[in-house]
Amino acid sequence: MTLHAAEAIRSHVPVLVVGAGPTGLMLSAELALHGVQPLLIDALPSPSGQSRALGFTVRTLEIFKQRGILGRFEGLVQVPGVHFAGLNIDGDFLSSTLRPANQYPQSRTEQVLADWCEERGVTALRPWRLESMERTDSGYRCVLGGPAGRHTVEADYVAGCDGAASAVREAIGMPARRTPPSVQMLLGDLRGCGLPNEPFGVKHEKGMVMSAPLGDGTERVIVCDFSRPTRPQGAPVTHAEIKHAYENVVGEPLADGECLWASSFSDASSLVESYRDGRVLLVGDSAHTHLPAGGQGMNVSLQDAVNLGWKLALVSRGRAPDSLLDSYHAERHPVGRELLLNTAAQGQLFLRGPEADPLREIVRRLLEVPEVSVRLADGVSGLDIRYDMGDPEAPPPVGERLAPDAFTVAGPDTVAGAGGDVVEELQHGSALLVLLADDGAASPLAARWGDRVRVVHARPKEPRRKPGAAEPLNLLVRPDGHIAWAGPRSDGLSASLTRWLGEPAAQPEEEDPCTAL
């Protein structure tokens, strides 16, 4: 459902989310899950309906599982592995039990997330655009333009999820480091062309071609013609241009068929200096743009939203200090920087002429080393991220994600029930205290944060321990699934709870036993 009337716009909102693509929808759902109802607007009169991003990396699928919505993405086609610059890496090298999925157009992703938002009381208002922002003592005075004219909204926080041409980013004048385009690709969704299934792409002497089925007889093709000059981004792309580029690169004719949608993209990149400017947060493509190598773009953007959502909700509700939002930039800006490095390297290996082939061959040989395959496979899948949790001496698993199927629930009073996967307990939105070796002190301590933490008794999926193995570690898992603290006893747990979840709830004063008599 889409709302248009100005009457649906509140005069004051805790968070204004600008942009109702996958990133804005994910952030809005996360905010609502954690008790904050944002105002979500989008400048388009309706969802674009375009296919664009076509699948999910493993880390994104893990997040969907954490939130209990993985089953809503019906018809996912599992991919047995990943690729780096078109070089295949078997899925067994991934540090997850899940496998990536594709053939899922972005339009369907947006619909699933929009339905999830609406269940939590958030509906995108269209077509409303951000016209201006003025800083106030308590946030921003935002002027929105739409079908009912202009409307002014006082927002405590503003989240820019409005893509590469972000109005929010431009309004605050956030500087960005940019690299100009050096190569361009044509993209088309075709029907009736009989394209081969080459989702990782094939490099030819004159360029590169990727093609894969999307379902319903539709096929996606991406062509990089080394001889083709770059064109202005956003300029219309015709079926004839795609056909000519394909035939020039492959050396074979492309059946006429039908072109349902066409576009172009380049290897231009940008990264803002900061993901946060006071009460303004930049999320997804408004903060970083890059070559869409390995399908990482939408996925990293969704992960930005999940990292920010619970933090912004806690701060907005007064449960945590404003400084918690600094960790959003501290954690996600390095991820954005690595994303640009990773995709640029793939572009050099895959979208350059024969001069790059010797380097490509060396990388192919290096992938025969298991450690290299693991490193690159986890890197393009979002599985290698480890955040600084405030103690530089803390060894793993602190900072890492809670992997699915690592621990099973040992008690019945949970969503998953006895024997279920502990990560599914994150669908509540609360942090988790996962008790593997309860010393009797951790659970009562966590009870002081009972409105933000759930206690789950668990056991490792493979409980057998080798002689001399370390004691099992209890875990504090943040709402985004990353492990903030680990220990065999409760030492340091209170400090970690306070750092990530704010001060504990007020406790009733103990009754004086003398006055009670």
Side-chain angles (χ1 to χ4, degrees), residues 249-503:
V249 172
V250 178
E252 298 178 359
L254 176 66
D256 289 337
E258 178 186 7
C259 183
L260 306 179
W261 175 63
S263 184
S264 66
F265 59 91
S266 72
D267 63 342
S269 68
S270 67
L271 181 66
V272 295
E273 289 186 0
S274 178
Y275 283 21
R276 181 189 186 196
D277 181 15
R279 289 175 174 259
V280 176
L281 295 309
L282 300 176
V283 193
D285 288 352
S286 68
H288 47 74
T289 59
H290 56 90
L291 176 71
Q296 298 177 76
M298 180 185 70
N299 289 272
V300 173
S301 298
L302 291 171
Q303 292 157 32
D304 286 347
V306 173
N307 182 281
L308 174 62
W310 63 277
K311 298 172 182 177
L312 184 53
L314 283 176
V315 174
S316 176
R317 297 176 65 193
R319 303 294 182 88
D322 183 80
S323 58
L324 177 63
L325 294 177
D326 291 336
S327 69
Y328 169 59
H329 169 81
E331 293 177 351
R332 296 305 296 177
H333 192 268
V335 173
R337 191 167 55 242
E338 184 67 22
L339 174 66
L340 266 63
L341 176 67
N342 181 288
T343 54
Q346 292 193 61
Q348 292 296 320
L349 291 173
F350 210 18
L351 303 177
R352 293 293 181 267
E355 70 276 7
D357 289 346
L359 180 58
R360 181 178 173 83
E361 174 61 19
I362 293 297
V363 174
R364 187 195 66 76
R365 294 178 187 179
L366 286 173
L367 286 173
E368 297 173 3
V369 180
E371 291 79 6
V372 174
S373 288
V374 169
R375 180 71 176 269
L376 291 181
D378 279 0
V380 299
S381 303
L383 300 177
D384 62 341
I385 296 169
R386 184 182 177 214
Y387 296 138
D388 178 3
M389 294 296 172
D391 180 3
E393 302 299 322
V398 173
E400 298 178 342
R401 78 196 197 287
L402 180 68
D405 298 319
F407 303 101
T408 57
V409 177
D413 299 328
T414 60
V415 169
D421 192 339
V422 167
V423 299
E424 296 177 14
E425 300 302 318
L426 287 165
Q427 64 185 269
H428 292 282
S430 301
L432 298 181
L433 178 60
V434 182
L435 296 180
L436 302 172
D438 192 1
D439 64 356
S443 185
L445 178 60
R448 299 176 60 200
W449 285 265
D451 58 333
R452 283 155 277 174
V453 180
R454 299 179 66 251
V455 177
V456 177
H457 292 267
R459 60 178 180 272
K461 188 172 183 180
E462 298 180 1
R464 295 188 299 274
R465 296 172 58 199
K466 298 178 182 179
E471 295 181 73
L473 299 177
N474 300 317
L475 308 173
L476 175 62
V477 184
R478 302 190 320 186
D480 61 356
H482 280 263
I483 299 168
W485 168 89
R489 288 165 292 278
S490 56
D491 299 345
L493 175 58
S494 179
S496 185
L497 285 163
T498 302
R499 175 184 177 88
W500 296 110
L501 304 177
E503 295 295 331

Side-chain angles (χ1 to χ4, degrees), residues 94-168:
L94 291 166
S95 58
S96 177
T97 56
L98 302 181
R99 293 294 177 265
N102 66 11
Q103 297 185 27
Y104 206 85
Q106 182 173 317
S107 57
R108 294 179 63 189
T109 298
E110 291 181 7
Q111 186 59 60
V112 171
L113 295 178
D115 290 345
W116 188 38
C117 277
E118 289 195 10
E119 289 174 14
R120 301 198 167 276
V122 182
T123 300
L125 304 186
R126 302 173 180 271
W128 288 91
R129 64 189 179 277
L130 178 69
E131 292 194 346
S132 65
M133 293 169 52
E134 178 185 359
R135 192 188 301 268
T136 67
D137 292 339
S138 59
Y140 275 87
R141 182 172 296 111
C142 303
V143 177
L144 311 182
R150 288 184 171 84
H151 196 87
T152 300
V153 173
E154 302 286 341
D156 296 338
Y157 293 90
V158 178
C161 303
D162 48 343
S166 172
V168 176

